[in-house]
Amino acid sequence: MIGETAVRRVIAPGAVELWWLKLNGRCLPEDSLVLSAEEISRCARFDTAEFASDFVRIRATLRCVLAAYTGCRPSELRFATGPHGKPELPCGAPAFNLTHTRGLAVVAVAGSGSIGVDAEPFDAGFDLAGLTGRVLTPREAAVVGRDRQRFLHHWVAKESYLKWLGSGLSVSPDTIELRTDHTGRAVVGAVDEVNLPTRYVHHFDLDAQYVGAFVSDALPQHFPLRPAESVCAETDLLRRTTGVQA
């Protein structure tokens, strides 16, 4: 039926699903049809048409992915913000988090609790010496040394933890630490007398080009990493949003 909502996708409590999207500075003609007026106005703030197109593509894909879990049309989704500005959906909807970097966006969806995700390209250009003292603890700095790939593993782990925590910039990354627990699993937790919870962190990579990590409340046994286009095809973005036969 034209204009019907998508069949709701079910995610089990404690489960995590990841959806990736490659960015190329272009968006689809129908992408802007699902955005809010506020999202459309934000497009004008970008310096280049490529950045604006990537923003439109990211927001449309985020709406499309979340529509699959809520049964809503992508254009009907209304976002709220937590105490520190973390986007969220109304009560009862799955938790989600979004990250984007050069050429890639990832949406993480959790069946329960909170979720934080981050990703970076392996060839990211950054000042390793300048960031080490601001991001790593002394123990971490001794392990990482001048290894840029190890630094990125620490970086995405800490960023995903802070996004899971939802505390904004109130927690400095050098007050938390990536380490292993007694079973050998990677965890992120506070150092010294900082009162913060410890959580498991899960790393992933994509096409040997990007390293990513997510932190969630639960310990998922597996976490599928799928192309976002597949779930967007399920929700039939244009037809289900506008009532126009695609």
Side-chain angles (χ1 to χ4, degrees):
M1 181 181 297
I2 294 176
E4 66 182 342
T5 57
V7 175
R8 185 170 180 172
R9 186 181 186 90
V10 177
I11 181 170
V16 171
E17 296 182 350
L18 305 173
W19 303 93
W20 59 266
L21 172 72
K22 290 293 184 71
L23 304 172
N24 57 12
R26 296 190 296 273
C27 60
L28 302 179
E30 61 265 29
D31 285 343
S32 61
L33 298 176
V34 305
L35 302 192
S36 67
E38 189 273 337
E39 287 169 322
I40 293 295
S41 69
R42 287 169 63 184
C43 296
R45 305 174 193 171
F46 291 95
D47 295 332
T48 68
E50 289 78 12
F51 288 162
S53 293
D54 279 347
F55 173 80
V56 171
R57 190 81 183 103
I58 290 168
R59 297 302 301 183
T61 299
L62 173 65
R63 285 177 169 273
C64 192
V65 168
L66 297 179
Y69 292 93
T70 62
C72 297
R73 294 181 176 88
S75 60
E76 293 175 342
L77 291 171
R78 296 293 180 264
F79 296 97
T81 54
H84 297 281
K86 183 178 180 180
E88 56 188 33
L89 290 174
C91 183
F96 73 93
N97 197 230
L98 167 71
T99 186
H100 57 88
T101 186
R102 187 189 72 232
L104 180 74
V106 179
V107 179
V109 181
S112 57
S114 183
I115 183 79
V117 66
D118 191 53
E120 295 291 343
F122 276 119
D123 64 350
F126 56 89
D127 178 10
L128 177 59
L131 285 175
T132 294
R134 294 163 48 194
V135 174
L136 303 181
T137 67
R139 281 191 295 260
E140 289 175 319
V143 171
V144 169
R146 300 182 61 83
D147 189 322
R148 299 175 71 86
Q149 186 165 324
R150 281 191 174 184
F151 178 87
L152 284 173
H153 273 80
H154 282 70
W155 175 273
V156 296
K158 292 188 175 203
E159 284 290 303
S160 59
Y161 176 88
L162 294 175
K163 294 174 75 175
W164 165 82
L165 196 61
S167 59
L169 300 176
S170 63
V171 176
S172 175
D174 64 354
T175 62
I176 56 176
E177 192 169 62
L178 175 64
R179 51 182 180 263
T180 56
D181 69 359
H182 67 282
T183 68
R185 294 180 182 272
V187 297
V188 175
V191 297
D192 301 326
E193 298 180 358
V194 179
N195 185 23
L196 291 172
T198 297
R199 284 294 182 272
Y200 289 105
V201 59
H202 306 267
H203 284 90
F204 60 90
D205 59 32
L206 186 64
D207 297 340
Q209 294 179 300
Y210 298 91
V211 58
F214 73 86
V215 172
S216 62
D217 285 13
L219 181 61
Q221 297 303 309
H222 70 284
F223 41 93
L225 180 62
R226 303 186 180 104
E229 284 87 348
S230 61
V231 74
C232 288
E234 292 176 9
T235 56
D236 197 359
L237 183 61
L238 179 60
R239 181 171 64 86
R240 297 185 188 277
T241 304
T242 65
V244 176
Q245 186 68 44

